[in-house]
């Protein structure tokens, strides 16, 4: 049973049509927030909005590739139409290459830093005019345990996640006087599409699990899959 601590709040969650972002959007909605979901593909956005609306949550959606200026503009336009913005969750990230940090090709490095770091910075900067109108603005960056201890197979990605820790600390100090908090969540390995490179082969699993003292991944069932499965079971009953 959710506590409804966020009634009256409006939240943006980027990359929220699957995986961790979808779970965050769902939980914020269950706590009473109005949620704007987004990701690159219109079809994914429509499906996520439908799934969350069927759960009785107050949700809208808009496609947004976080590295595209025009898309981010549209995201904040939707927030304005929705009534403002109280919570920004910057969740999108990419990892186009597997390998050690100094083996990363330049174009992959640029892509990783553009999406994971620069877009998070720009989203926070562009959200500020709306967050400043909120009584309690909140910015949450999604980093990773790899931000604290780089993963061998995710060298450049790990460094980008460390950069988010720095961005969180610097922005938190800057905005504290305005009662806007900046925090960072650093998940462990959770089975999603994104982490499949770490979890799908035995060799990759051995390396990834060797960094985790409990020697297992966090239990996480894709909420999108879970809701789809529940719907199928209900449909079969009728
Ligand atoms: P996921 O399940 O693969 O979901 C990815 C989501 O991101 C999808 O909704 C996808 O939808 C969207 N997306 C991809 N590129 C995007 C872009 N450029 N702009 C906007 N949306 C985009 O991923 P996840 O595992 O939940 O990861 C989410 C966050 O958690 C990432 O920041 C990741 O680094 C972090 N994290 C994950 C783990 C893990 O083990 N899974 C661990 C630590 C940290 P579209 O295809 O429609 O764009």
């Amino acid at each position: 049973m959710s506590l409804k601590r966020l009634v009256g709040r409006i939240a943006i969650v980027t990359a929220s049509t699957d995986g961790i972002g979808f779970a965050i959007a769902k939980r914020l909605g269950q706590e009473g927030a109005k949620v704007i979901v987004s990701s690159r593909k219109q079809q994914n956005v429509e499906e996520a909005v439908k799934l969350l609306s069927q759960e009785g949550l107050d949700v809208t959606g808009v496609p947004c590739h976080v590295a595209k200026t025009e898309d981010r503009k549209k995201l904040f336009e939707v927030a304005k139409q929705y009534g403002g913005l109280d919570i920004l969750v910057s969740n999108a990230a990419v990892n186009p290459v597997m390998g050690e940090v100094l083996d990363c090709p330049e174009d992959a490095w640029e892509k990783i830093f553009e999406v994971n770091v620069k877009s998070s910075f720009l989203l926070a900067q562009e959200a500020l005019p709306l967050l400043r109108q909120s009584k309690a603005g909140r910015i949450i960056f999604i980093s990773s345990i790899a931000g604290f201890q780089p993963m061998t197979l995710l060298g450049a990605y790990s460094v980008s996640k460390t950069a988010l820790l720095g961005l969180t600390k610097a922005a938190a100090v800057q905005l504290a006087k305005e009662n806007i908090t900046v925090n960072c969540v650093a998940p462990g390995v959770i089975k999603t599409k994104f982490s499949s490179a770490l979890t799908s082969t035995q060799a990759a699993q051995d390396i990834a699990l060797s960094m985790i003292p409990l020697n297992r991944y966090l239990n996480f069932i894709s909420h999108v899959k879970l809701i789809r499965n529940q719907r199928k079971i209900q449909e079969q009953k009728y």
Side-chain angles (χ1 to χ4, degrees):
M1 188 74 164
S2 301
L3 293 174
K4 298 282 179 204
R5 291 171 292 192
L6 300 176
V7 173
R9 307 283 171 84
I10 299 172
I12 283 176
V13 186
T14 65
S16 48
T17 61
D18 206 346
I20 295 171
F22 184 84
I24 293 171
K26 184 176 171 188
R27 181 58 192 266
L28 292 176
Q30 288 171 336
E31 290 268 6
K34 291 181 176 184
V35 184
I36 301 160
V37 297
S38 67
S39 74
R40 292 165 303 177
K41 299 178 194 122
Q42 172 88 36
Q43 197 189 336
N44 290 345
V45 172
E46 282 170 13
E47 192 183 21
V49 169
K50 196 172 157 198
L51 288 170
L52 294 171
S53 302
Q54 281 167 350
E55 300 255 309
L57 308 180
D58 192 346
V59 179
T60 191
V62 61
C64 173
H65 184 316
V66 293
K68 293 187 177 168
T69 308
E70 276 310 305
D71 283 10
R72 292 195 308 272
K73 227 184 229 174
K74 281 188 206 142
L75 187 62
F76 293 117
E77 282 306 318
V78 172
K80 273 184 210 157
Q81 288 160 16
Y82 224 30
L85 183 67
D86 304 284
I87 302 164
L88 168 71
V89 182
S90 176
N91 171 62
V94 289
N95 181 49
V97 282
M98 297 291 284
E100 297 193 59
V101 63
L102 295 179
D103 296 333
C104 181
E106 185 177 351
D107 57 346
W109 179 274
E110 279 173 357
K111 175 111 193 137
I112 288 169
F113 275 77
E114 185 187 24
V115 174
N116 302 7
V117 184
K118 186 176 165 192
S119 300
S120 290
F121 157 71
L122 288 172
L123 278 161
Q125 194 175 56
E126 291 159 3
L128 270 185
L130 290 175
L131 291 176
R132 283 182 168 133
Q133 291 168 28
S134 163
K135 279 187 203 130
R138 303 278 180 261
I139 297 173
I140 298 111
F141 296 116
I142 306 299
S143 175
S144 165
I145 47 159
F148 291 100
Q149 178 58 49
M151 289 190 169
T152 322
L153 289 176
L154 304 176
Y157 165 87
S158 299
V159 180
S160 77
K161 292 296 184 177
T162 308
L164 285 182
L165 303 178
L167 177 61
T168 303
K169 289 181 189 179
V173 170
Q174 180 181 352
L175 295 176
K177 52 189 173 293
E178 300 187 59
N179 197 33
I180 297 172
T181 64
V182 185
N183 284 287
C184 192
V185 177
V189 180
I190 297 172
K191 281 189 179 179
T192 63
K193 215 183 288 168
F194 185 83
S195 64
S196 59
L198 285 181
T199 57
S200 57
T201 69
Q202 192 56 51
Q205 278 205 37
D206 289 345
I207 296 174
L209 285 174
S210 70
M211 295 182 60
I212 304 171
L214 281 175
N215 204 41
R216 63 172 168 78
Y217 301 121
L218 294 178
N219 277 331
F220 176 86
I221 305 171
S222 159
H223 283 58
V224 175
K225 270 192 210 138
L226 192 66
I227 294 171
R228 274 193 206 123
N229 289 345
Q230 280 169 351
R231 213 172 46 201
K232 265 189 214 146
I233 292 165
Q234 275 166 359
E235 280 163 5
Q236 280 161 7
K237 278 187 194 159
Y238 294 107

